[in-house]
């Protein structure tokens, strides 16, 4: 069953065409790693899926909602599609628990005690139950990123988007965050993740999408695509990131 | 008849300081309300409104407060509006404060990173909720220190109203100096009173900043 459907997506910033007719279907439960050089359009692609960026052409459908329709309710869509950013983007004026509870209360209208229970459960899931009352600036980058993941998960998303969520972290903190993602994978969460962690892509993703100059240049099963790239562009990209 | 500078004079100065505080308060409330509108006019994506606000801010910030006071006190009557000293002073101080508050608050709102808006959006929050629950609290925290900094300036600037006959702290000091011929004692006392007012403000700012960090 297709959870995400992109048909002939065109995205421009002014005269610059960043996405050039993208076609992509992501099935429920699939874990798609999106790789490619800097500027190839990976982040833009993710941001189009939850309508943070409007597109100039094509059709996007997520979980039965036609995102590109003029009447689409983007807030309702985003309440069901989680997104985690490279820069964490926790709310600095709220403690960890309230970071997680805010959207639950405002968007889902969850009563406070229940929202608090959810926050605790999500924090346990990412291994940070003891940081419930800490403020973001009291946490390490890896801890902040796990709180950001917990904050998204609290909304019970049907799809999670991750944009290079380990790129801003010290190497020794990357593992904790990747372990959380592995847990999500075991739970069957559908994920689209932009990553430079090739080992992670190979071991956890089922599928790899290689973007090159605004197009999907290669698309296939993770292990196979990464070990036996078909195109020269992917070969040279892989040799650049692996060495 | 020259007399001594005695404790009743100190009381007189303190009573005059009520006017200093009152004027600053009026300017804060009037300027604050108007300043909010100015900040909005600067931020909303409506170019003519932006230009208007920028022109207003430049006009007010680019001319001396004393000149503005004179325009309201002496100028308005020439145009056929009879205004009392209170009205003239309240109007001009409020307009003066609004230009500064407007700029301080616009700066604070815009210094909240765009990513914070995005983080709220990615969670499905409406534009209004993103503003009220994510951006505004952070902007308030940023704005406290410069806002209070300007309030301290404002308190001191109320002394200019002495020049149109307002008996606030500075004018009261002149009057007592004329009677006692003890300028040093009189003005030192006045300075001490100004200091207490301004120091209280900056302490308040510190407490507020800490409080805002704790509970958001
Ligand atoms: N808001 C924007 N305005 C103008 N151009 C943009 C904007 N966002 C991205 N671009 C451009 O679009 C292109 C694709 O950017 P994108 O961020 O999607 O690349 P990316 O593959 O995620 O790269 P990286 O690995 O560096 O994150 C780049 O040329 C970038 O300069
Ligand atoms: Mg990117």
């Amino acid at each position: 069953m297709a959870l995400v459907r992109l048909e002939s997506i065109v995205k421009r910033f002014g005269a610059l065409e960043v996405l050039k007719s993208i076609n992509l279907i992501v099935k429920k439960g699939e874990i798609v790693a999106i790789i490619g050089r800097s500027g190839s359009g990976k982040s833009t692609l993710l941001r189009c899926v939850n309508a943070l960026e409007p597109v100039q052409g094509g059709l996007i459908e997520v979980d039965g909602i036609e995102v590109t329709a003029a009447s689409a309710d983007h807030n309702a869509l985003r309440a069901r599609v989680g997104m985690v950013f490279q820069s964490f983007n926790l709310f600095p004026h709220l403690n960890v628990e309230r970071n997680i509870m805010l959207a639950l209360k405002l968007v889902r209208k969850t009563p406070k005690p229940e929202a608090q229970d959810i926050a605790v459960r999500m924090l346990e899931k990412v291994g940070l139950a003891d940081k419930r009352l800490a403020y973001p600036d009291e946490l390490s980058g890896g801890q902040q990123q796990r709180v950001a993941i917990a904050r998204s998960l609290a909304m019970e998303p049907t799809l999670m988007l991750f944009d290079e969520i380990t790129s801003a972290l010290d190497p020794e903190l990357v593992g904790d965050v990747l372990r959380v993602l592995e847990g999500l994978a075991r739970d069957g969460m559908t994920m689209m993740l932009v990553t430079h962690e090739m080992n992670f892509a190979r071991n956890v993703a089922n599928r790899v999408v290689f973007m090159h100059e605004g197009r999907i240049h290669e698309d296939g099963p993770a292990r196979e695509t990464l070990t036996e790239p078909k195109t020269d562009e992917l070969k040279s990209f892989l040799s650049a990131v692996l060495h | 008849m020259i007399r001594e500078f005695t404790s009743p004079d100190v009381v007189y100065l303190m009573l005059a300081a009520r006017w200093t505080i009152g004027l600053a308060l009026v300017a804060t409330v009037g300027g604050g309300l108007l300043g909010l509108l100015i900040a909005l006019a600067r931020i909303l994506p409506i170019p003519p409104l932006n230009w208007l606000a920028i022109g207003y801010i430049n006009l007010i910030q680019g001319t001396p407060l004393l000149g503005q006071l004179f325009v309201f006190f002496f100028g308005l009557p020439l145009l056929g509006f009879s205004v009392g000293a209170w009205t003239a002073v309240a109007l001009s101080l409020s307009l003066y404060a609004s230009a500064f508050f407007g700029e301080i608050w616009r700066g604070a709102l815009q210094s909240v990173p765009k990513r914070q808006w995005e983080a709220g959006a990615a969670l499905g929050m409406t534009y209004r909720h993103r503003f009220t629950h994510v951006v505004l609290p952070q902007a308030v925290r940023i704005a406290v220190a410069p806002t209070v900094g300007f309030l301290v300036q404002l308190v001191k600037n109320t002394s200019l109203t002495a020049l149109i006959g307002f008996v606030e702290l500075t004018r009261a000091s002149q009057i007592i100096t004329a009677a006692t011929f003890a300028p040093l004692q009189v003005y030192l006392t006045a300075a001490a009173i100004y200091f207490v007012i301004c120091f209280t403000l900056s302490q308040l700012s510190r407490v507020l900043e800490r409080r805002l960090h704790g509970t958001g």
Side-chain angles (χ1 to χ4, degrees):
Chain A
M1 189 196 130
L3 189 64
V4 180
R5 180 194 304 277
L6 305 183
E7 274 174 24
S8 319
I9 291 305
V10 174
K11 169 71 198 175
R12 287 186 216 99
F13 289 110
L16 181 70
E17 195 163 80
V18 175
L19 297 181
K20 302 166 183 168
S21 194
I22 299 278
N23 291 296
L24 180 69
I25 288 179
V26 177
K27 292 204 272 301
K28 207 166 173 44
E30 229 176 354
I31 300 169
V32 181
I34 300 168
I35 61 173
R37 284 185 205 285
S38 179
S40 57
K42 306 179 298 291
S43 298
T44 307
L45 178 67
L46 277 197
R47 294 163 58 83
C48 288
V49 171
N50 71 348
L52 282 183
E53 295 286 356
V55 296
Q56 276 68 48
L59 180 130
I60 302 177
E61 212 181 84
V62 178
D63 199 11
I65 301 179
E66 194 180 327
V67 180
T68 39
S71 61
D73 180 350
H74 290 162
N75 292 325
L77 166 82
R78 294 180 194 130
R80 289 202 264 159
V81 177
M83 183 168 206
V84 183
F85 305 86
Q86 180 176 345
S87 48
F88 328 138
N89 301 355
L90 292 178
F91 305 133
H93 59 297
L94 301 179
N95 66 23
V96 163
E97 172 181 84
R98 294 174 60 170
N99 257 277
I100 298 175
M101 288 163 57
L102 186 65
L104 282 174
K105 286 194 294 188
L106 296 177
V107 179
R108 299 267 303 260
K109 315 283 180 219
T110 312
K112 191 175 173 191
E114 200 180 317
Q116 215 152 12
D117 287 348
I118 295 175
V120 170
R121 257 194 294 122
M122 292 305 133
L123 284 172
E124 279 166 0
K125 209 175 186 127
V126 299
L128 288 173
D130 55 327
K131 297 293 182 189
R132 191 169 64 90
L133 298 176
Y135 279 83
D137 63 4
E138 297 165 340
L139 301 178
S140 74
Q143 292 171 331
Q144 288 189 52
Q145 194 57 294
R146 285 185 280 154
V147 172
I149 296 172
R151 182 174 69 175
S152 275
L153 292 179
M155 301 293 285
E156 298 182 321
T158 47
L159 167 71
M160 285 291 295
L161 308 173
F162 297 97
D163 191 358
E164 292 194 43
I165 62 168
T166 55
S167 297
L169 299 180
D170 292 335
E172 73 270 21
L173 302 176
V174 169
D176 290 336
V177 173
L178 293 185
R179 262 190 293 287
V180 171
L181 293 191
E182 285 165 17
L184 285 182
R186 277 194 298 278
D187 293 348
M189 176 67 77
T190 313
M191 300 190 243
M192 294 173 72
L193 44 101
V194 174
T195 184
H196 287 304
E197 305 282 339
M198 290 305 144
N199 283 326
F200 180 79
R202 190 181 1 253
N203 297 327
V204 180
N206 343 103
R207 182 171 162 202
V208 163
V209 164
F210 171 60
M211 295 209 42
H212 185 68
E213 295 177 351
R215 292 200 165 80
I216 293 182
H217 207 75
E218 246 188 271
D219 178 357
R223 218 163 259 280
E224 197 181 305
T225 308
L226 290 174
T227 44
E228 294 156 36
K230 293 194 185 67
T231 61
D232 291 342
E233 286 81 2
L234 180 52
K235 273 179 207 156
S236 82
F237 171 75
L238 287 177
S239 67
V241 291
L242 294 177
H243 301 291
Chain B
M1 234 324 264
I2 291 180
R3 54 181 178 80
E4 295 275 294
F5 177 62
T6 52
S7 50
D9 294 319
V10 175
V11 172
Y12 178 72
L13 285 181
M14 283 175 150
L15 289 178
R18 286 185 312 181
W19 289 106
T20 296
I21 295 173
L23 287 170
L25 218 58
V26 167
T28 303
V29 173
L33 293 175
L34 198 56
L36 276 179
L37 297 180
I38 302 293
L40 277 180
R42 276 287 264 117
I43 287 176
L44 291 175
I46 307 170
L49 205 58
N50 304 153
W51 301 328
L52 216 66
I54 292 172
Y56 174 81
I57 290 163
N58 283 333
L59 180 70
I60 301 279
Q61 294 194 343
T63 54
L65 173 58
L66 187 58
Q68 294 165 25
L69 276 171
F70 283 171
V71 165
F72 280 94
F73 189 63
F74 298 116
L76 284 185
L78 292 180
L79 295 175
F81 301 99
S82 70
V83 289
W86 245 114
T87 319
V89 162
L91 269 176
S92 52
L93 282 180
S94 294
L95 294 187
Y96 176 74
S98 73
F100 286 88
F101 284 144
E103 272 301 86
I104 290 171
W105 296 341
R106 174 197 65 83
L109 280 172
Q110 291 186 337
S111 67
V112 177
K114 227 182 114 227
R115 290 162 172 176
Q116 288 289 315
W117 286 96
E118 252 176 19
L123 288 162
M125 291 166 61
T126 60
Y127 186 87
R128 200 169 59 90
H129 280 153
R130 276 172 246 164
F131 181 73
T132 55
H133 286 74
V134 176
V135 175
L136 194 59
Q138 297 183 52
V140 167
R141 204 157 99 192
I142 295 167
V144 168
T147 300
V148 174
F150 175 74
L151 280 182
V152 167
Q153 297 301 318
L154 194 60
V155 167
K156 292 188 280 185
N157 276 336
T158 55
S159 63
L160 288 174
T161 62
L163 284 150
I164 57 173
F166 229 90
V167 187
E168 40 63 74
L169 186 48
T170 297
R171 182 82 188 106
S173 309
Q174 289 171 339
I175 291 169
I176 295 185
T177 303
T180 61
F181 215 69
L184 191 64
Q185 285 136 295
V186 175
Y187 284 112
L188 275 179
T189 310
I193 296 176
Y194 276 117
F195 177 79
V196 167
I197 298 173
C198 295
F199 184 73
T200 310
L201 277 175
S202 47
Q203 286 307 306
L204 210 70
S205 148
R206 229 153 273 149
V207 171
L208 213 59
E209 274 179 286
R210 231 173 290 138
R211 184 78 64 78
L212 285 172
H213 185 88
T215 58

